[in-house]
Amino acid sequence: LLEASSAGDRAGRGSANEQAVYGCGASFAAMPRLVVIGGSGYVGTRIMRAALARGANVASVSRRGMPYTDIVQSLAGAEWITADVEDREQLAAAVSGADAVISCLGAFGSSEFMRRINGDANAKIAAASKEAAVRKYVYISAAPFGPVEALIPGYFEGKRAAEAAVSQHFGANGTVLQPGMVYGSRRVSENVAIPLQLVGAPLAAVFGSPPVRALAARLGRLGAPLVPPSPVDDVAEAAVEAALGQSNFPSDGDGGGDGGRGGSDEGGEKSEACLLGWEGIGRLARQCVSAAPPEVTLFWDGGCPLCRREIAYYQRLDHANRVSWVDVHARPEALEPHGIAADEAMSLIHAIDARGTVQVGVPAFLAVWEQLPYWRMLPPLVRAVPLAQPTAEALYRVWARWRLQLTGRAATLGGGSACRKP
């Protein structure tokens, strides 16, 4: 669960993105080129998505093949480069011309293997990036885990050696992210994903609570394993902002480390890489997500009392403005650009998901839930459990047809509402 990305992630090739650049702290005047080492892995694909959303020219570098087909299709504009980062010439070619580099490289195995991949290989990536005149460098590391580190010493020794290399080669132009467990939907095959959020989200709520944070501080190193897990999308957003933005964020100590180990910035003075633990990652991600356009558009019926109450609840959770809430009772013209008929929208709820696809019924709710805290753990479960989504869809359609009659509100509701019986 600590692994950021596999050393053997698969890659291929694609085309360059041609969108305009935006971001919560954009620092590149022209379209920047971002190279993501391990960009076809669990964290890496989320970083690719976040960078493409900013209009960056993004390339993934990994050893073999592409990620799963649907992921490649959803990352239109990404470039997939096949390279072995332990080969000096291939690595130099891969990072050549990059404005920024993010390394997600990490692996489990024998202690020797983990020191080589997590430590030596990442140190070589940082050195090659410096030689290629890369401006900013970000490394996805791991939070200190106190006594747990003795169980897999090679993993953490490699991570800390890589952190030192970031400070050595990039100083203040380098950033090290130290998340704990990184949770989200993790693909393990074309058709199977592990919903890590079912474990990670509850742990994040518990471990992030004031009593547990106070206990962890009192326990010192023994309390390090109580570090709250981080959502994979938060890690991705924070990494992209650190690489492409100019947000001012100081190193924090919530990861338990001291950041860099010395190095030099562009002026030649000793400096350290910025260190972001779980709290800093979340803070930076929220800052950037709030500045970005909404991911999903939901068309809802403001003429329905039940709908108003339900949507008001969801809106209170949408602190990051991830959803655009469009009341089609008040603005039916908003449906026209999407080819949705007003009667259809009034009969069943509609949404435009993060990929720009129209979703109807339960899939529309899933698209919204994916953007909301607490609720985002539910969609992977609904999709993974056999017959769960068809059953939910059948129940929803019955409820959509009869909910006003069932709640006794039909007599108080006028026409022009999805709550009326079709």
Side-chain angles (χ1 to χ4, degrees):
L1 297 179
L2 301 174
E3 183 183 0
S5 178
S6 170
D9 285 336
R10 299 168 296 174
R13 280 194 177 272
S15 59
N17 192 307
E18 297 181 354
Q19 304 175 39
V21 180
Y22 84 90
C24 62
S27 64
F28 292 88
M31 182 185 297
R33 179 167 176 79
L34 173 65
V35 171
V36 183
I37 308 297
S40 56
Y42 170 49
V43 176
T45 52
R46 267 62 170 210
I47 290 174
M48 299 282 285
R49 190 182 311 281
L52 286 169
R54 291 185 178 221
N57 179 341
V58 192
S60 164
V61 177
S62 50
R63 183 172 293 175
R64 53 186 172 85
M66 289 185 177
Y68 302 110
T69 304
D70 61 321
I71 295 178
V72 173
Q73 293 173 346
S74 70
L75 297 176
E79 180 182 359
W80 307 95
I81 299 174
T82 301
D84 182 353
V85 297
E86 294 188 274
D87 182 290
R88 182 181 177 85
E89 292 185 359
Q90 291 185 40
L91 175 59
V95 299
S96 177
D99 295 293
V101 170
I102 300 175
S103 176
C104 306
L105 184 65
F108 286 107
S110 67
S111 288
E112 180 182 355
F113 176 74
M114 290 188 289
R115 289 189 189 95
R116 192 186 95 220
I117 299 300
N118 298 341
D120 297 344
N122 272 303
K124 291 176 181 177
I125 295 168
S129 298
K130 181 66 175 179
E131 291 177 5
V134 169
R135 291 174 56 184
K136 289 188 177 182
Y137 189 92
V138 180
Y139 172 53
I140 311 298
S141 186
F145 270 75
V148 175
E149 296 186 16
L151 301 177
I152 44 175
Y155 180 88
F156 289 97
E157 289 169 5
K159 291 287 187 181
R160 305 308 167 225
E163 292 173 8
V166 176
S167 282
Q168 176 187 349
H169 295 294
F170 284 90
N173 291 319
T175 303
V176 173
L177 272 58
Q178 286 191 332
M181 171 190 175
V182 178
Y183 66 86
S185 181
R186 181 164 191 160
R187 292 285 291 276
V188 294
S189 73
E190 285 284 356
N191 301 311
V192 178
I194 301 175
L196 296 177
Q197 60 268 43
L198 296 182
V199 175
L203 285 179
V206 173
F207 287 0
S209 65
V212 176
R213 299 317 311 143
L215 175 62
R218 173 169 283 187
L219 291 175
R221 186 172 183 274
L222 294 177
L226 296 176
V227 58
S230 296
V232 64
D233 290 331
D234 280 9
V235 175
E237 290 288 351
V240 172
E241 173 60 19
L244 301 182
Q246 56 183 7
S247 296
N248 295 319
F249 44 92
S251 291
D252 59 38
D254 53 38
D258 62 358
R261 306 290 188 273
S264 60
D265 59 20
E266 293 179 354
E269 298 179 358
K270 291 289 182 180
S271 60
E272 297 179 342
C274 174
L275 173 66
L276 293 179
W278 70 273
E279 195 170 23
I281 291 170
R283 184 168 54 245
L284 186 58
R286 288 190 297 272
Q287 173 185 333
C288 292
V289 169
S290 296
E295 290 280 327
V296 172
T297 298
L298 182 73
F299 300 109
W300 66 284
D301 176 17
C304 166
L306 287 177
C307 299
R308 289 200 298 269
R309 292 179 62 182
E310 182 180 12
I311 296 303
Y313 164 73
Y314 289 143
Q315 288 175 323
R316 288 195 296 271
L317 295 178
D318 188 20
H319 304 296
N321 298 317
R322 300 293 293 270
V323 180
S324 175
W325 309 91
V326 179
D327 177 2
V328 294
H329 183 71
R331 296 176 52 206
E333 70 278 2
L335 297 168
E336 295 178 5
H338 305 284
I340 303 171
D343 285 346
E344 293 175 350
M346 288 299 182
S347 297
L348 295 170
I349 196 164
H350 285 59
I352 309 298
D353 67 15
R355 299 180 184 180
T357 304
V358 176
Q359 302 291 352
V360 183
V362 169
F365 283 107
L366 297 181
V368 171
W369 291 345
E370 286 175 329
Q371 308 301 324
L372 302 178
Y374 314 117
W375 287 88
R376 61 170 55 105
M377 70 178 70
L378 191 56
L381 185 62
V382 172
R383 295 187 178 110
V385 175
L387 300 179
Q389 187 164 336
T391 301
E393 184 68 39
L395 292 173
Y396 165 71
R397 287 176 181 263
V398 171
W399 176 250
R401 181 179 178 87
W402 295 101
R403 55 182 163 179
L404 258 291
Q405 284 73 15
L406 292 173
T407 57
R409 298 193 179 202
T412 63
L413 185 67
S417 169
C419 290
R420 70 182 188 278
K421 186 173 70 172

